[in-house]
Each structure stands twice: as C-alpha cells, then as structure tokens.
Amino acid sequence: MAAPTIMRTGSRRAARLWRSLPRRIHHQPRRASAPTGLLAEQCQRGLFQEVFPTQGVDEELSALLEPGQPPQTVYCGFDATADSLHVGHLLTVMGLLHFQRAGHNVIALVGGATALLGDPTGRTKEREPLSEERAQEHALGLREGLQKLFDNHRLLYWPATGSARLGEVMLQDNTWWLGRKPVVDFLCGVGGRLRMGTLLSRQSCQARLQSAEGMSLAEFLYPALQAYDFLHLHQHHNCRIQLGGADQMGNIMSGYELVTKVTGKNVFGITVPLITSTTGDKLGKSAGNAVWLNRDKTSPFELYQFFVRQPDKTVKRYLKLFTFLPLPEIEHIMEMHAKEPEKWGPQKRLAAEVTKLVHGKEGLESAKRSTKALYYSNVEALEAMSDQELQELFKEAPFAELMFEPGISVLDLCHKVNAIQDGPSGYRKITDGGVSINYIQETNPETVLVIGKHILKNGVSVLRIGKRNFYIIKWLQLCQEEIPN
C-alpha cells in the first residue's frame, strides 16, 4: 500500500485560522505549564483545519472553548457503509477525544439511516444500495468499534487521578429519529429551511450533476438529512459544534444554516485533514485502500506495520495528529531520530501509540510479537503466539492440523502438507537449502522432527519453502510433557 499523506490543501487554511485566533490566546507569553485554548492547541498540532463560520473564531467559539468555561457538546458522524471504522476515521475520532480531554462532552453519531443513501461527497457515482438489515449490522459494528476506542483511551491514556474532568461520551444512531420521521413532515420542516441554490452551488453537487450518470434525488437530499442530525442533537443535547473531515464542510454548512434558522442560536463546524495516499486518493473503503480498525479485517500487526512504514517526511506530522504526546516530547523524539535514524524511533513510537489506542495493550504486544517473529526470525516470539496471531501473521499461508507420529521426518512433513513435489525434485528442494522449519534451515530430508526444536512449545511448526511460501502446522495429540520447558 502506498504511504499515506495528509492533504496539503488545508495547511494554509490552518495557518490562517491560527492567525485569526484572539490575541489573548496565542500572543500572550507562553509558560511551559500554562494551558492554551483548545482551538489554539489543535491548530498547533495541525488537527483542526477549518472553522465555520469564520467570524466565530474571533468571537464566540474561542471563548466557549477556553479553559474554565462550562463544557460544550460536539458531535461527529460516521455513516454505517461498512461494519468497521478505518484509519481514515481516526483523525475525527482524535478530534472528539481531544474535546473530551478538555472536559467537553462528545457524541459519536453512527449513521444507520443515512448509510441507506450514502454521502455523495467526493464520489463519481452512486453507492451500492444497502438493505436496512445490513445497515443496522454495520451500525452495530461501528458503535462497538467506537466504544472500544473511547474505553481504551479512558483506561490507557487518561490519568486515574487528578482534578481534570474527562468529558462524557454518548453513542447515537440517527436511525433512532430519522427512521421515525414522516417524509412529508421532514420536507415541510427541513426542506423549507434549506435553499436549493445553496445546495446546487456545492462543488460536489455540480460535479455529479454534470457527469454522465447524474445525481439521484436521494443523494441530493443527503445534506438535508445530515443537517437534521445537527438540529436534533442541538435540540436534545445542546450540541453546538459539528466535527468532520475536510470534505464535509458543505454538509456542515447545511447543518449550520438549518440550526441557526430554526433556533436562532450560533453553532459551529470544525474540519480535520483528510488522510490520502501518495496518489492523492482518500483512504477508505470506496477507494479500496482501507486499513481497518476491526481486528477481523486488519490485524494489530498490519496496523502497526502501516504506521511503522511511514517515511520521515510525514512521521512528525503524524505524531502530532495521531497521538497525545506533548509537542515538546515530539520535538525531542525527532531530534533523537536525526542522530540515530537507523533506529526508526519516531515510526515505532507512532505505531505503538496508535496500535495501543485501537487494540489495547494486548493488541500492541501481539503486534510486537508478530513483528519479531516475522522480521527478526525470533523463535521465542513465534512460540509465544496464539493460533489467532499465527493466522493473522501468515494469513495467506495454509494452516494444517496433523497428528504427531514419532519418527516423522522433514521430507514426510513436506509431503503431508503438499509443500513440495514427490520425487527427486522435491528431495532436491530440501538438499539445496530451500526448506526451513521455525527459521532453521534443514538440508537433510531424513532428519527426524525434534520436539522443542521443530515443534515449538505452543505445538506449532512454521514451515517455509523458498523465501515466501509459509505453511503453519498445528500438531494434535502432542503430550504436554513431551514439550521441553
């Protein structure tokens, strides 16, 4: 997979946003222990890219978010077009977590209803339709994934002691209100407040309308449904801020327009950068390059390696965006990296922090075990791995269960799992050094398998043919006392 980048189109916007913040926030003398406002802090990290409406940055919003003020409520939506979040969602989740860490309340909204339509933003054609049953299955998966992220953050990244307040979190599903809203009531109430000209002027809408496929009415009404989500959350939970990816600004503006017209109160939108591949494609399911946060789809090892492989030109930015490390600590990590680049210190720290947030301590340990086993031929790590970890690590490898028979040879094993051909060519494969068991090269086909060497403590053998062809063997009826400690 191509290494991802953060869209650079918003970097100048973030700089303007930073400059537009009140002088009392970012021009006052800074002391190491003095907190700054949430907007200023996240602009420094590069997480908050754009705020709408812009005049609110200098006035009400920045004041609302300053330390010591009553907690605000912010929400972000996640459409249930798949049953798992992916790395492309992580920045908006990080945004919610930073609000929570600053004492504000957050709502993670799963779009079980809007997933039936699909957001047309950034798409060249309409999504494949989802059944209601499938959408609700996806919604349940997203709620479980979001809950795990918030739980891991609270348990692993939030101090158990101290006076700071961790904001409350709510998980919602817009099926709970949109599914009960009569269509005529919706069109009269919401449709009468939103202007066609505004919706038609959006770039994403114009691009689709001018395409050969065109745009369906259902897709065209998607911003109105998302706007109603904002109105509902504002009326029932006093939510005044919507968080979303940079491509969501049009939908956020629709929500702002609806809420302010209905209630007369000021609300705000904040965007975070989009994560893109080096080819400029947005990372996600639609682009076919998703790195999932569900272990069943992307293992902790794969997630860890995704971040370990980040190049030097992006790793500092990613440390700011994807971790809670203080900025001075990130600067120190990068200084040490400049002295010892061969250690890949920033990449390993980035990968560890993200993997721990997503999969917990056990997931991080699993990722490190798998890394040692695969890339460092570490037998101790290999024999400490569970069957699940082995299948995740060697997911393309055949997984066989065999009865252990005393006297079984290397040649016998290779034949039992169909790893080599019968006859002289298979025999030569071994004698020529093309076969190894548990990273030990075996050149004698008649060598008898030894428990503790060829068969590890976990009752597993990893057979490799050539450089890349692996076979995982789980030995059955192997007496535990036969395995050396």
Side-chain angles (χ1 to χ4, degrees), residues 18 21 24-45 62 65-68 102 104 327:
W18 166 251
L21 291 175
R24 67 180 180 275
I25 292 181
H26 66 85
H27 290 300
Q28 64 181 351
R30 293 285 305 281
R31 289 178 293 183
S33 59
T36 60
L38 178 63
L39 280 179
E41 289 177 350
Q42 298 315 314
C43 284
Q44 282 184 290
R45 298 186 81 96
S62 57
L65 297 179
E66 281 195 356
H104 301 290
L327 294 180

Side-chain angles (χ1 to χ4, degrees), residues 262-280:
V262 172
T263 68
K265 294 184 179 179
N266 288 335
V267 293
F268 307 91
I270 300 176
T271 64
V272 301
L274 295 180
I275 309 174
T276 65
S277 68
T278 51
T279 60

Side-chain angles (χ1 to χ4, degrees), residues 35-36 58 105 176 261 274 290 329 454:
T36 60
D58 284 324
N105 303 320
W176 301 342
K261 284 183 177 180
L274 295 180
E329 184 174 349
H454 301 106

Side-chain angles (χ1 to χ4, degrees), residues 339-484:
K339 298 176 182 177
E340 300 175 312
E342 71 281 358
K343 292 186 176 181
W344 287 69
Q347 285 87 349
K348 291 179 180 178
R349 185 64 183 275
L350 170 66
E353 294 292 322
V354 175
T355 305
K356 186 168 69 170
L357 176 64
V358 175
H359 294 294
K361 286 184 178 180
E362 291 183 0
L364 176 57
E365 291 170 359
S366 173
K368 289 183 175 180
R369 263 195 307 272
S370 297
T371 298
K372 290 178 181 178
L374 185 63
Y375 294 122
Y376 297 94
S377 301
N378 189 302
V379 175
E380 290 183 359
L382 190 62
E383 64 185 359
M385 294 174 68
S386 66
D387 289 354
Q388 180 187 17
E389 290 172 336
L390 287 165
Q391 290 175 328
E392 289 172 346
L393 181 59
F394 302 102
K395 60 169 51 178
E396 304 299 328
F399 197 94
E401 293 183 336
L402 298 178
M403 293 290 184
F404 176 72
E405 300 171 3
I408 187 171
S409 68
V410 173
L411 182 63
D412 294 334
L413 173 61
C414 292
H415 283 158
K416 283 179 179 292
V417 297
N418 297 316
I420 62 174
Q421 296 178 337
D422 292 333
S425 62
Y427 200 90
R428 283 197 303 273
K429 188 74 173 179
I430 302 174
T431 57
D432 290 345
V435 173
S436 66
I437 302 176
N438 301 333
Y439 305 120
I440 302 170
Q441 189 180 63
E442 295 293 345
T443 57
N444 182 358
E446 307 303 330
T447 296
V448 174
L449 301 188
V450 176
I451 296 175
K453 177 183 177 184
H454 301 106
I455 301 174
L456 301 176
K457 293 178 182 178
N458 52 0
V460 167
S461 297
V462 176
L463 173 67
R464 185 172 68 183
I465 309 297
K467 292 184 177 180
R468 298 184 179 179
N469 295 318
F470 288 90
Y471 298 79
I472 311 302
I473 297 92
K474 183 72 174 180
W475 296 97
L476 305 179
Q477 292 188 346
L478 193 65
C479 296
Q480 197 64 34
E481 54 268 20
E482 291 181 309
I483 304 176

